[in-house]
Amino acid sequence: MGESTMKRKLKHRHLQFISLGGVIGSGYFLGTGYVLEQAGPAAVISYLLGGIIVLAVMLCLAELAVEKPLSGSFVVYARENISATWACGVGWSYWVTWVSYVPSEMIAAGIIMNGFFPEIGTVWWAVFFGLIVTILNLFRVDKFGESEFWLSLIKVTALVAFSVVALLICLGLIGDEGCIGTRILLGSGGFAPNGYWSIVLTMVIILVNFQGTEIIGLAAGETADPARSIPTAVRNVTWRIIALYIIPITLLISILPWDHASLEESAFAAALTEHGFSHLGALFSFVVLTAAISCSNSGLYGAARTVHALATMGMAPRVLEGLSKKGVPSRAIYASIAFCWGVIAIYAMNPRGELYTYLLALSGFSGAMAWISICWSQYRRRRKLEAEDAVSLLRYRMPFFPYVTLFGIWAQVFCLSFMLFVPELRSALYLGVPMLVVPMILYKFLRR
């Protein structure tokens, strides 16, 4: 189908914002309401713990991706350092992550647009946005990178603006409440009104919110200068988590009582509306729309590169291996978006709010398995290099090995185990485990 290799067209700034595109999705703006509803102000600790886990995973990924920058990277790393069977399972599980999460973003965008234009159904808007992200992904990869750059820039600007406004409200410089201080933060049952166990019980949704950072590994094979761009992106993870998660959410729960938050609307918009800034609240609906399109865009990118990598390794139908003349895996893109539309069709037949939470939980499980695989691959690779006395050949070395790696693995195993105690997350676990195991069984059987 034209050229046989992908193009290294992604620039340094593209890579930085592609990772942001996956992290700041509608799951952040809408899913935060669920986290606040469950954990109260203690949600700040949940996000902080999630951020530490992400940093551990990203350090592992950076070491692997700088040594071997490949498209579909962590699937290849799993095959080389763990086993082909595990790579097949985690690769398909990760693909399921995005073909279940991308529709949730499209549905979220549809819900927002339905609020503005109620005569047009949510499903039709979701399909419309599906067409947009398909077209964006079929462009040359640098055009995709450029679209993601501007979409992500809107989200970052909005979060910075919200933080400034919320701080001014907190200090009593704007609004009618006067100096709020910690009155709202601690006023409805204290810092952890539902107990500190609620922090752990919300961690799966938190990990979903952070999901997308690993896309920079998938993009390594299309990046012009991976040795420079990937370590920089990893170093930026720390300040991104603080600046774009911890600070805005701390200010959010300082001006919005936690029991006023829900999945029905963006907690950020609700907070601004509650203090008389309804126009800014409406503007945040547009930001959530942008976030949904951006996250769908980067999510489809990740799904297509993953299934393309599986096809090149003989773990998916070979027909998905082909590239277009522009060097993009167009067949993999079409196949991925087709499954996304299938999920949207299920939503059309059963448009319940629980489906959104269910999709988030399912993608949280399969995404966490991909992260565990990254850490495990790095652990096995580093141990092999140590045995060969070749660690010095690495151009980027993760600090504090093996402690950071082991923390990244077991912290996620611990979080996933608590899905058993949350009814709406437990059903996602029952589906997520077979999504991981069945491809491995089929691969073993077909290989025989």
Side-chain angles (χ1 to χ4, degrees):
M1 242 188 105
E3 308 200 19
S4 58
T5 58
M6 294 183 179
K7 309 295 184 184
R8 290 190 178 272
K9 294 282 188 179
L10 289 177
K11 299 176 182 177
H12 182 71
R13 63 186 174 89
H14 291 159
L15 194 68
Q16 311 309 308
F17 278 84
I18 284 172
S19 64
L20 269 180
V23 173
I24 310 174
S26 69
Y28 176 30
F29 293 107
L30 296 176
T32 296
Y34 172 83
V35 176
L36 293 180
E37 197 176 23
Q38 300 298 316
V44 174
I45 297 178
S46 302
Y47 278 102
L48 188 59
L49 288 173
I52 295 170
I53 292 171
V54 171
L55 183 58
V57 174
M58 289 295 289
L59 288 169
C60 293
L61 179 59
E63 181 173 299
L64 292 166
V66 170
E67 182 191 14
K68 189 173 287 190
L70 300 166
S71 181
S73 58
F74 67 82
V75 180
V76 180
Y77 304 149
R79 184 188 65 173
E80 293 180 350
N81 299 295
I82 304 173
S83 75
T85 303
W86 173 261
C88 182
V90 80
W92 278 109
S93 178
Y94 183 76
W95 181 77
V96 170
T97 297
W98 285 117
V99 295
S100 58
Y101 189 67
V102 167
S104 75
E105 295 291 331
M106 293 176 186
I107 291 166
I111 291 169
I112 294 162
M113 290 303 294
N114 182 249
F116 290 118
F117 303 98
E119 64 276 8
I120 302 176
T122 298
V123 174
W124 293 112
W125 283 116
V127 172
F128 172 70
F129 291 120
L131 289 171
I132 289 178
V133 298
T134 303
I135 292 167
L136 287 173
N137 271 267
L138 289 172
F139 284 138
R140 287 201 326 261
V141 72
D142 56 328
K143 302 300 181 187
F144 161 79
E146 198 66 29
S147 68
E148 198 55 37
F149 173 82
W150 290 106
L151 287 169
S152 297
L153 191 60
I154 292 171
K155 295 184 288 188
V156 172
T157 304
L159 284 172
V160 171
F162 172 83
S163 298
V164 171
V165 172
L167 180 61
L168 294 175
I169 292 172
C170 228
L171 296 174
L173 299 177
I174 58 175
D176 303 323
E177 295 283 333
C179 184
I180 295 174
T182 59
R183 175 161 46 91
I184 293 177
L185 180 68
L186 303 176
S188 300
F191 184 69
N194 296 326
Y196 284 95
W197 275 115
S198 62
I199 295 173
V200 181
L201 296 177
T202 58
M203 283 305 298
V204 173
I205 300 299
I206 297 292
L207 293 178
V208 173
N209 286 351
F210 284 123
Q211 208 169 291
T213 51
E214 75 287 340
I215 287 177
I216 65 169
L218 294 171
E222 296 171 273
T223 303
D225 186 9
R228 168 177 171 256
S229 298
I230 292 172
T232 303
V234 171
R235 285 194 294 270
N236 288 342
V237 165
T238 305
W239 73 258
R240 283 175 188 164
I241 290 168
I242 294 171
L244 301 178
Y245 273 86
I246 307 303
I247 292 175
I249 288 171
T250 302
L251 291 167
L252 171 66
I253 56 179
S254 296
I255 65 172
L256 177 72
W258 67 271
D259 50 358
H260 290 196
S262 72
L263 262 175
E264 299 301 318
E265 65 173 327
S266 166
F268 296 89
L272 294 171
T273 302
E274 186 146 324
H275 290 275
F277 298 95
S278 54
H279 294 300
L280 288 176
L283 182 62
F284 243 85
S285 293
F286 169 74
V287 175
V288 177
L289 176 64
T290 305
I293 296 171
S294 172
C295 195
S296 298
N297 198 28
S298 57
L300 182 57
Y301 176 92
R305 267 59 183 180
T306 301
V307 79
H308 176 264
L310 289 168
T312 58
M313 293 187 292
M315 299 174 183
R318 287 287 185 184
V319 69
L320 301 177
E321 189 179 352
L323 298 177
S324 71
K325 292 180 180 179
K326 296 175 183 176
V328 298
S330 53
R331 293 175 181 175
I333 292 170
Y334 288 132
S336 299
I337 199 67
F339 275 86
C340 291
W341 284 335
V343 175
I344 292 171
I346 294 171
Y347 174 79
M349 292 184 286
N350 188 19
R352 295 185 304 164
E354 291 86 350
L355 180 62
Y356 185 76
T357 306
Y358 184 79
L359 290 174
L360 290 180
L362 177 60
S363 59
F365 172 79
S366 48
M369 296 312 300
W371 284 6
I372 290 169
S373 181
I374 289 169
C375 296
W376 190 7
S377 297
Q378 186 271 339
Y379 181 84
R380 296 284 294 268
R381 177 61 180 162
R382 178 70 83 89
R383 288 300 193 205
K384 182 180 178 182
L385 290 174
E386 285 177 346
E388 297 170 354
D389 198 22
V391 176
S392 59
L393 298 178
L394 291 173
R395 287 159 58 179
Y396 177 84
R397 270 181 278 177
M398 187 195 75
F400 306 113
F401 178 83
Y403 307 109
V404 172
T405 306
L406 294 175
F407 169 79
I409 293 172
W410 291 110
Q412 290 181 86
V413 171
F414 180 72
C415 292
L416 289 176
S417 66
F418 276 86
M419 290 179 74
L420 291 168
F421 302 99
V422 183
E424 61 264 37
L425 303 184
R426 190 185 304 133
S427 53
L429 185 64
Y430 294 154
L431 184 59
V433 172
M435 289 291 186
L436 175 69
V437 175
V438 170
M440 298 193 328
I441 295 172
L442 287 174
Y443 179 72
K444 291 286 280 186
F445 176 75
L446 292 174
R447 237 173 66 171
R448 251 176 225 175

